[in-house]
Amino acid sequence: MATVTEAPPLAPQPENKPPRRRGRLVPYWLLLPGILWLLVFFALPMVYQASTSVQTGSLEEGFKVTWHFQTYWNALSDYWPQFLRSVLYAGAATILCLLLGYPLAYLIAFRAGRWRNVVLILVIAPFFTSFLIRTLAWKTILADGGPVVGALNTLHVLDVTNWLGFTAGDRVLATPLAVVCGLTYNFLPFMILPLYTSLERIDGRLHEAAGDLYAKPFTTFRKVTFPLSMPGVVSGTLLTFIPASGDYVNADLLGSTDTRMVGNVIQTQFLRILDYPTAAALSFILMAAILILVTLYIRKSGTEDLV
Amino acid sequence: MAFVRWFKRNLVVIAGLVTLGYLLLPNVIVTVFSFNKPKGRFNYEWQQFSTDAWRDPCGVADMCGSLSLSLQIAVWATLGATVLGTMIAFALVRYRFRARGAVNSLIFLPMAMPEVVMAASLLTLFLNLGAQLGFWTILIAHIMFCLSFVVTAVKARVMSMDPRLEQAAQDLYAGPVQTFLRVTLPIAAPGIAAGALLAFALSFDDFIITNFNAGSTVTFPMFVWGSAQRGTPVQINVIGTAMFVVAVLFVLVGMVIGNRRNRQKA
């Protein structure tokens, strides 16, 4: 027996070898250029932004660090509706993405058969077409006299959404519904792909076993499939919610001044009004809010090993 | 009754196909409206069938210039991000070293940050340094945000690699360079290719970060953005349709090659 246990394993791991002086520096040389890039162009800008947010001054006179934390308070009290809207719209889009994306991911993973790759291509291909062009196409689809708005009116859907405050009058464009529709559309692939990856890993025999134990299809889904797809659900919701909450393209192209999100405010402050301290403060608050929400969410869903 | 049973059994398929329709509807509209002859500056309403735009895709001032600029930036950004990202991925998977956790979080953070935050903070850096906004600042920004995605894609592939293959090569007296070029690189290639493809698509299509850091330079997404305010030429839809077709063909060809290779192995 001893010979068996003492025999060298088939794959001696590299770190079991006596470390060579030269070899030990290899990982650092590999990391150096990329990490330096991220430190200089990702981490350092955050420091600059933090310092900008506590400056006062104007473009003509120049900005000075005055530790003016009032900017944060002003930004929050002036723009809390836009913050709230960002969270609501992004949240609604995330839920819609999950509801719409799950059946398609399930279809690709279990039911598509030899069509699997074709459907996958159709999900990925829009990535390579400009998303701005596709978002503009929604203007045509949701046009006032168009078939979609007509059908929604006939089905009295718009009566309900009017009552909920998502639409106004008989139109969809320039209302929250259009913005949420655009956000859902834009980030749907980011939900479908992680869902598909985690569904595909599920052993099909588990479904058979559940069936053998007299579970109805829905019970099988609730007790077997869905829990096993949780990693996909968590990463899909994060990949949808985070970019959606900072997006300003949909709110700008499909919405109106009443649907402005925090991204729109940051963009205007930075690029048009040139009020850098306020813009920096807003962007810092958004970042902090996202990081807190994401941390809480990951804690709650118990998949910390995911990231 | 039979219909209801059929409907119930295929509910998932039906719902999935509805979603697929939702995903592809804008592409259909873009294609249809590339054959439109609009009245006025905007191309939102159907007027009349015409192939004018297809015969003269570059007939709009500055559009094809912005397209070629976007392609150039995407190629360089892909090269930069893929080389840097692959190096990081190898270091993370193959070596244990101090600060590994810190490096992992530094890679993860750009993906967990709304784009507008990164865009705005990078702009404050460039403004403070007095950098001239344009081609170089766009390229720097694109390499930065593509990097994490490349690392993730390559890491996944390298992790599933058997280290014994490299040891076998070394046992057969292959030097480190030879081992890397003839064993490691070919096995990691699909992951690197996936990362590069992702980087290309992300860079080519990026609007938010470019919008902040481009100055007066106009990439293709920025041209489309501007045209939403000034008037959208039909040619934009022609380019959109062409990109979709090229992407589908590209992936199809890639898959056919992949299948053939797998069959040869088997």
Side-chain angles (χ1 to χ4, degrees):
Chain A
M1 284 313 280
T3 49
V4 176
T5 45
E6 273 162 30
L10 269 175
Q13 293 302 308
E15 55 261 35
N16 292 348
K17 292 179 185 170
R20 280 170 298 167
R21 198 88 193 94
R22 250 175 66 218
R24 280 171 63 181
L25 284 174
V26 169
Y28 297 105
W29 286 115
L30 283 173
L31 287 170
L32 190 66
I35 293 304
L36 215 55
W37 200 280
L38 282 181
L39 283 176
V40 175
F41 299 117
F42 175 76
L44 188 62
M46 296 292 166
V47 178
Y48 269 99
Q49 190 163 36
S51 108
T52 305
S53 71
V54 291
Q55 292 177 356
T56 44
S58 67
L59 210 57
E60 292 82 38
E61 298 160 15
F63 293 95
K64 263 204 200 102
V65 179
T66 51
W67 301 103
H68 188 78
F69 285 103
Q70 186 72 26
T71 316
Y72 278 87
W73 178 245
N74 292 345
L76 258 182
S77 55
D78 286 350
Y79 297 109
W80 68 266
Q82 282 85 347
F83 269 108
L84 190 64
R85 232 177 256 147
S86 299
V87 175
L88 286 179
Y89 290 0
T94 308
I95 293 167
L96 280 171
C97 276
L98 186 60
L99 292 177
L100 283 167
Y102 208 105
L104 185 53
Y106 191 96
L107 168 78
I108 305 172
F110 298 122
R111 300 287 290 271
R114 56 203 189 87
W115 292 98
R116 177 191 273 202
N117 284 333
V118 177
V119 182
L120 257 183
I121 291 175
L122 290 176
V123 172
I124 297 167
F127 265 120
F128 292 84
T129 334
S130 174
F131 85 99
L132 278 166
I133 301 182
R134 289 179 286 127
T135 309
L136 281 176
W138 280 104
K139 274 195 137 147
T140 306
I141 300 168
L142 300 174
D144 288 345
V148 174
V149 174
L152 290 178
N153 260 322
T154 320
L155 296 169
H156 296 286
V157 174
L158 288 190
D159 293 344
V160 180
T161 52
N162 278 344
W163 181 73
L164 287 171
F166 282 134
T167 51
D170 285 337
R171 54 195 322 237
V172 173
L173 272 185
T175 67
L177 184 66
V179 179
V180 172
C181 170
L183 286 172
T184 308
Y185 167 76
N186 262 316
F187 299 107
L188 194 49
F190 295 92
M191 178 68 86
I192 293 173
L193 293 176
L195 277 178
Y196 162 70
T197 324
S198 67
L199 280 172
E200 198 215 4
R201 284 198 199 121
I202 298 176
D203 191 336
R205 282 174 298 184
L206 289 173
H207 292 160
E208 288 167 30
D212 288 346
L213 296 166
Y214 298 104
K216 288 197 175 122
F218 184 70
T219 318
T220 309
F221 175 77
R222 199 166 51 89
K223 296 218 155 165
V224 180
T225 317
F226 191 74
L228 285 174
S229 69
M230 266 322 270
V233 174
V234 173
S235 54
T237 42
L238 287 178
L239 282 174
T240 317
F241 182 81
I242 295 171
S245 59
D247 183 80
Y248 58 81
V249 175
N250 286 284
D252 195 292
L253 294 180
L254 304 172
S256 67
T257 45
D258 296 331
T259 61
R260 283 161 59 85
M261 295 163 68
V262 68
N264 300 77
V265 181
I266 296 177
Q267 194 241 12
T268 331
Q269 295 284 345
F270 244 120
L271 301 180
R272 294 217 194 116
I273 303 176
L274 306 176
D275 179 356
Y276 299 133
T278 305
L282 280 167
S283 141
F284 242 72
I285 298 170
L286 174 65
M287 184 177 90
I290 296 275
L291 284 181
I292 292 169
L293 275 177
V294 168
T295 317
L296 287 177
Y297 177 69
I298 293 179
R299 282 266 169 78
K300 188 114 207 290
S301 51
T303 37
E304 275 167 85
D305 50 314
L306 192 94
V307 290
Chain B
M1 244 357 250
F3 173 75
V4 174
R5 274 229 308 280
W6 174 87
F7 186 80
K8 260 184 154 172
R9 201 173 324 127
N10 291 295
L11 194 61
V12 173
V13 178
I14 295 164
L17 290 178
V18 167
T19 305
L20 196 61
Y22 179 69
L23 265 179
L24 293 176
L25 184 62
N27 283 95
V28 175
I29 294 290
V30 169
T31 311
V32 170
F33 276 74
S34 72
F35 293 104
N36 190 19
K37 189 173 192 167
K39 277 183 200 156
R41 292 182 298 146
F42 291 96
N43 183 23
Y44 298 141
E45 271 169 53
W46 181 258
Q47 303 287 346
Q48 196 192 334
F49 181 84
S50 148
T51 54
D52 289 355
W54 279 93
R55 263 183 256 148
D56 185 19
C58 278
V60 193
D62 303 334
M63 190 185 72
C64 284
S66 70
L67 197 61
S68 90
L69 178 69
S70 274
L71 279 172
Q72 282 172 38
I73 291 174
V75 168
W76 290 114
T78 305
L79 266 174
T82 308
V83 171
L84 299 181
T86 306
M87 285 164 69
I88 295 180
F90 268 98
L92 280 176
V93 179
R94 284 306 171 75
Y95 298 92
R96 311 278 127 190
F97 51 88
R98 258 186 273 165
R100 210 159 159 273
V103 169
N104 263 323
S105 348
L106 190 62
I107 300 295
F108 172 70
L109 270 175
M111 294 191 287
M113 198 69 70
E115 259 191 278
V116 71
V117 174
M118 280 193 282
S121 64
L122 201 52
L123 178 61
T124 55
L125 175 80
F126 289 142
L127 287 174
N128 275 298
L129 298 181
Q132 175 83 38
L133 296 179
F135 182 87
W136 291 103
T137 50
I138 302 176
L139 186 59
I140 285 172
H142 282 204
I143 293 179
M144 182 270 288
F145 79 80
C146 290
L147 196 54
S148 304
F149 291 93
V150 175
V151 173
T152 316
V154 179
K155 228 172 99 177
R157 176 77 189 181
V158 180
M159 269 210 265
S160 64
M161 232 166 107
D162 192 339
R164 280 176 294 186
L165 290 171
E166 284 165 327
Q167 282 157 5
Q170 274 162 6
D171 286 349
L172 295 166
Y173 298 106
V177 178
Q178 226 178 346
T179 311
F180 181 75
L181 288 180
R182 308 195 65 168
V183 179
T184 317
L185 207 55
I187 302 177
I192 298 174
L197 208 63
L198 192 62
F200 186 87
L202 287 172
S203 162
F204 188 68
D205 207 19
D206 178 73
F207 172 70
I208 294 183
I209 287 182
T210 315
N211 186 217
F212 273 79
N213 295 294
S216 54
T217 310
V218 178
T219 63
F220 185 65
M222 288 182 64
F223 178 85
V224 179
W225 174 260
S227 79
Q229 267 95 39
R230 292 189 311 266
T232 42
V234 187
Q235 276 81 353
I236 281 185
N237 289 42
V238 173
I239 303 294
T241 312
M243 286 201 286
F244 184 74
V245 173
V246 169
V248 171
L249 286 178
F250 197 67
V251 182
L252 275 178
V253 169
M255 256 169 33
V256 169
I257 292 173
N259 278 348
R260 199 170 291 167
R261 212 176 265 169
N262 280 346
R263 222 170 288 154
Q264 274 172 358
K265 267 184 205 158

